Amino acid sequence: MPEADAVVILGGGIIGFSIAYYLSQDPQYKGRIHIVDAADRLFESASGYAGGFLARDWFAEKAAPLGEFSFNLHRELANRYNGHERWGYLGSHVYSLSLNDAPAGVRGEDWLLAGTSRAQAAGCRREYGHVSRPGEAVNEDGTPAWMAPQTGASWNAIAGTDDCAQVEPRKLCEFLLSECEKRGVAIHLNTRATRLGKNTDGRLSVVELEATDRQSKPTFLPCSDIIISAGCWTPRVWATLFPTSAVEVKIDGLAGHSVIYRTPRYTKPFLNASYGPGEHSQSKDQHISYAIYCPPTKSWTYSPEAYARLDGDGKPEIWIGGLNDNSTDLPLPDLPTDAKKLINPARLAELRRAAVQLTGMTNPSGGVAEDDLEVVSEALCFRPVSQSGVPLSSRYRTERWVSVQQVFQVRRFG
Ligand SMILES: Cc1cc2nc3c(=O)[nH]c(=O)nc-3n(C[C@H](O)[C@H](O)[C@H](O)COP(=O)(O)OP(=O)(O)OC[C@H]3O[C@@H](n4cnc5c(N)ncnc54)[C@H](O)[C@@H]3O)c2cc1C
């Protein structure tokens, strides 16, 4: 295989590794795929710290086909490789905290740009009941006892395991990484692409790679294609490689704090023995996870979201986030590994307060729930958000953004 045919993927988050994973199934790419990442460790970005919630159809119209395609791919992958044990793949039963003053939901609304809860993007198409493990303690309203009863609000089940799911995102990324390594995908850490070179006929022929810490001399990798999948850093990579291009890549970094914790009440994942009314009784999921979405209330100005999920060892944990800071509050660092220095303890304390209110120990005297939670880890990461609100995928040659369905296709540019 001629060396000049290498395909170089810039950015080793879940997007870069998904592209490498699917591309490496095609024998014509055997030994030709390279992933280049600027950080010295993988998955220190959004891909490693995300909540890991998946929905089949909670998308704006333009992104809906890609959303459904992606949801089905997740399920297929989990069924094929025992994703349940390897990356905590579970169907998810979704609750929304309903308050009397919450605005009415609109299906398919872009919850991120609108700053609302995802619960409103889900809409509610049918009746979902409360579900809990047989024999598990439940609250008066039938919700599992690890969810704290709320004064002046109620828990509504708004979606179920057929259309929503959960993963432990870092474990999923590690699975993709191990499959890519088995298929000979080369991984270059602590490396950036600094320049592209072309043949005499104008085709891409080489990429110059430089160590991020600049401790070694640049090297040159002959290649025919490059793919930029650097999340929030994509505009910076673009500007470095195409400094004279009139195309502007409009992706911002939306910073999000998150906390992972355990509660003494949520100790076993729920075994799917009996679904509530309206649920699909034929589901193959052995266990389910839970998602909780909340609109802003008197207690918080943002939309907290909490996911009861399985950690890498199959132990239940709860991830809580949803408290976002835009890039003027928290500028995108040079590398995802620099994000730790930007963590704001006050933001983490706010999330912990929300965690206690949602899942703390019920106060026998009827007040706010008590804090008996054990924090496992805290994080800050940056979510790539396109200004159009839908994923961007294009090839440079046309100098135009094209359909998102082409996201896994690799094209040559001249
Ligand atoms: C708090 C939070 C919660 C989220 N929850 C969910 C959720 O529940 N469900 C969901 O579907 N999505 C969620 N997301 C969004 C999801 O995490 C991201 O959309 C996804 O991880 C983006 O993956 P990526 O590969 O595009 O980018 P990233 O994960 O950011 O990876 C980009 C990679 O590019 C590398 N890089 C940077 N500069 C360069 C360079 N010059 N050259 C080469 N490489 C470079 C970085 O080191 C990094 O490894 C969440 C995001 C956040 C922040």
Side-chain angles (χ1 to χ4, degrees), residues 299-380:
S299 309
W300 45 67
T301 52
Y302 60 103
S303 297
E305 42 198 61
Y307 307 122
R309 64 184 200 186
L310 294 183
D311 73 4
D313 299 321
K315 270 201 274 170
E317 64 181 17
I318 300 178
W319 179 102
I320 188 165
L323 183 53
N324 298 318
D325 295 83
N326 69 34
S327 55
T328 48
D329 301 331
L330 272 181
L332 182 67
D334 192 34
L335 293 167
T337 38
D338 297 333
K340 275 202 171 66
K341 293 179 226 153
L342 303 174
I343 286 183
N344 180 345
R347 300 306 244 170
L348 295 175
E350 276 184 70
L351 282 176
R352 184 163 181 147
R353 266 196 302 279
V356 172
Q357 180 158 346
L358 297 176
T359 61
M361 185 169 64
T362 305
N363 186 334
S365 56
V368 177
E370 284 173 17
D371 186 351
D372 63 345
L373 310 175
E374 175 207 343
V375 171
V376 176
S377 60
E378 299 166 327
L380 168 69

Side-chain angles (χ1 to χ4, degrees), residues 128-166:
Y128 292 89
H130 298 307
V131 291
S132 51
R133 196 159 33 88
E136 184 180 0
V138 292
N139 296 317
E140 260 175 35
D141 63 0
T143 51
W146 59 270
M147 288 166 53
Q150 305 292 315
T151 312
S154 59
W155 291 110
N156 279 353
I158 55 163
T161 52
D162 284 347
D163 300 317
C164 296
Q166 181 66 48

Side-chain angles (χ1 to χ4, degrees), residues 79-351:
N79 283 338
R80 187 156 162 214
Y81 290 102
N82 190 13
H84 165 58
E85 279 180 17
R86 295 180 73 179
W87 58 92
Y89 183 92
L90 299 168
S92 180
H93 195 73
V94 184
Y95 279 98
S96 168
L97 185 64
S98 296
L99 302 147
N100 298 337
D101 57 350
V106 180
R107 187 172 178 71
E109 204 174 53
D110 190 311
W111 58 272
L112 241 187
L113 292 182
T116 58
S117 161
R118 277 196 248 194
Q120 292 169 26
C124 199
R125 284 154 294 158
R126 53 179 163 139
E127 294 270 302
Y128 292 89
H130 298 307
V131 291
S132 51
R133 196 159 33 88
E136 184 180 0
V138 292
N139 296 317
E140 260 175 35
D141 63 0
T143 51
W146 59 270
M147 288 166 53
Q150 305 292 315
T151 312
S154 59
W155 291 110
N156 279 353
I158 55 163
T161 52
D162 284 347
D163 300 317
C164 296
Q166 181 66 48
V167 297
E168 204 288 283
R170 180 177 297 273
K171 288 286 159 194
L172 172 59
C173 288
E174 285 169 1
F175 161 77
L176 294 172
L177 164 66
S178 74
E179 289 300 303
C180 284
E181 282 177 331
K182 276 187 218 158
R183 295 184 200 155
V185 172
I187 294 154
H188 309 255
L189 295 181
N190 179 34
T191 306
R192 294 182 207 262
T194 39
R195 264 187 309 163
L196 301 176
K198 292 179 182 178
N199 279 333
T200 46
D201 64 1
R203 283 186 178 277
L204 173 71
S205 62
V206 69
V207 55
E208 181 188 66
L209 299 178
E210 191 179 86
T212 303
D213 61 12
R214 302 218 167 115
Q215 293 298 306
S216 50
K217 282 193 179 154
T219 55
F220 296 90
L221 179 63
C223 67
S224 58
D225 303 81
I226 60 158
I227 298 168
I228 307 177
S229 54
C232 317
W233 292 272
T234 296
R236 293 184 186 172
V237 177
W238 178 266
T240 303
L241 298 182
F242 302 99
T244 58
S245 169
V247 176
E248 202 189 337
V249 182
K250 295 181 177 164
I251 297 174
D252 298 319
L254 184 65
H257 286 84
S258 59
V259 174
I260 296 177
Y261 65 94
R262 297 190 208 281
T263 113
R265 287 164 297 287
Y266 185 57
T267 51
K268 281 188 191 157
F270 167 62
L271 184 65
N272 178 21
S274 66
Y275 275 144
E279 294 273 30
H280 196 302
S281 55
Q282 300 307 310
S283 172
K284 291 199 182 89
D285 296 315
Q286 288 303 300
H287 299 81
I288 66 168
S289 59
Y290 295 91
I292 296 176
Y293 289 101
C294 313
T297 71
K298 281 190 227 111
S299 309
W300 45 67
T301 52
Y302 60 103
S303 297
E305 42 198 61
Y307 307 122
R309 64 184 200 186
L310 294 183
D311 73 4
D313 299 321
K315 270 201 274 170
E317 64 181 17
I318 300 178
W319 179 102
I320 188 165
L323 183 53
N324 298 318
D325 295 83
N326 69 34
S327 55
T328 48
D329 301 331
L330 272 181
L332 182 67
D334 192 34
L335 293 167
T337 38
D338 297 333
K340 275 202 171 66
K341 293 179 226 153
L342 303 174
I343 286 183
N344 180 345
R347 300 306 244 170
L348 295 175
E350 276 184 70
L351 282 176

